[in-house]
């Protein structure tokens, strides 16, 4: 018993793909006997032919992974593409570092730990890239006090 034609007609009437047409195995003979579109419509009304629901893609894994990334996981070297500068621009990194260093320099000057001349000298050194980080600057200041 070939239900190919019935399936095709049902898909056309239900406005779904042939894969989403469900044919009741109990009514297989009646479905095979249906020749016209009107016969198919009658079977649809009777419930022998139905459209299956649309299958969705679950977001469960995506949500789970997003939570993990928010915790800082799943960001290792295997996940990275491009060079180091592609993830954080060199200029942005420099700006963050230099601002922190200059802020610390101002604190040193305002608290009186270094005088204005020393501040100027260190400021220009920082501008030239002499200090890698705030810690490096602090080490240099401590060394200069000796």
């Amino acid at each position: 018993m070939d239900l190919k034609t019935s399936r095709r007609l049902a898909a056309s009437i239900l406005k779904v793909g042939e894969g989403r047409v469900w044919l009741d195995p109990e009514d297989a003979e009646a479905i095979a006997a249906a020749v016209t579109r009107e016969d198919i419509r009658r079977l649809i009304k009777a419930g022998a032919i139905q459209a299956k629901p649309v299958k969705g893609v679950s977001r469960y894994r995506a949500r789970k992974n997003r939570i993990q990334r928010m915790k800082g996981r799943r960001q290792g070297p295997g996940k990275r593409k491009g060079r180091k500068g592609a993830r954080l621009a060199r200029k942005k990194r420099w700006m963050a570092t230099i601002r922190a260093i200059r802020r610390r320099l101002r604190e040193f000057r305002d608290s009186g730990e270094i005088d204005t001349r020393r501040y100027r000298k260190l400021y220009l050194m920082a501008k030239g890239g002499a200090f890698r980080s705030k810690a490096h600057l602090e080490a240099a200041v401590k060394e200069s006090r000796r």
Side-chain angles (χ1 to χ4, degrees):
M1 159 181 3
D2 191 24
L3 304 175
K4 211 179 242 180
T5 311
S6 303
R7 183 179 293 276
R8 183 180 57 74
L9 288 171
S12 168
I13 291 164
L14 292 168
K15 293 185 171 58
V16 297
E18 287 181 31
R20 272 185 60 202
V21 174
W22 177 80
L23 306 171
D24 191 353
E26 305 289 313
D27 295 327
E29 281 139 25
I31 294 168
V35 184
T36 65
R37 283 173 171 272
E38 198 49 54
D39 295 339
I40 299 291
R41 279 194 199 94
R42 209 171 307 115
L43 287 167
I44 290 169
K45 204 166 202 172
I49 299 174
Q50 294 172 7
K52 291 183 194 171
V54 179
K55 280 187 187 169
V57 178
S58 171
R59 294 277 310 155
Y60 172 76
R61 288 180 309 279
R63 285 194 202 100
K64 206 169 80 173
N65 290 343
R66 187 170 168 269
I67 290 164
Q68 288 295 83
R69 272 190 218 100
M70 284 161 73
K71 291 182 196 170
R73 318 274 196 278
R74 309 181 76 90
Q75 304 266 350
K79 282 281 178 190
R80 294 175 198 173
K81 283 193 167 190
R83 47 180 288 173
K84 187 168 57 173
R87 290 172 80 84
L88 181 65
R90 282 167 76 179
K91 184 167 181 175
K92 288 247 164 88
R93 196 173 69 229
W94 164 256
M95 280 162 55
T97 311
I98 197 68
R99 283 172 183 174
I101 289 170
R102 285 174 178 168
R103 203 174 308 119
R104 191 73 184 107
L105 269 172
R106 280 194 295 276
E107 287 168 15
F108 279 142
R109 183 193 60 195
D110 296 342
S111 68
E113 287 184 61
I114 58 171
D115 62 333
T116 320
R117 283 180 64 175
R118 186 83 187 120
Y119 167 81
R120 237 332 96 199
K121 187 165 193 244
L122 290 169
Y123 188 98
L124 291 172
M125 283 172 72
K127 183 179 179 175
F131 309 116
R132 290 185 301 274
S133 61
K134 225 163 66 166
H136 191 205
L137 168 73
E138 285 167 12
V141 169
K142 192 182 269 185
E143 191 66 40
S144 72
R145 275 198 237 120
R146 285 189 194 159

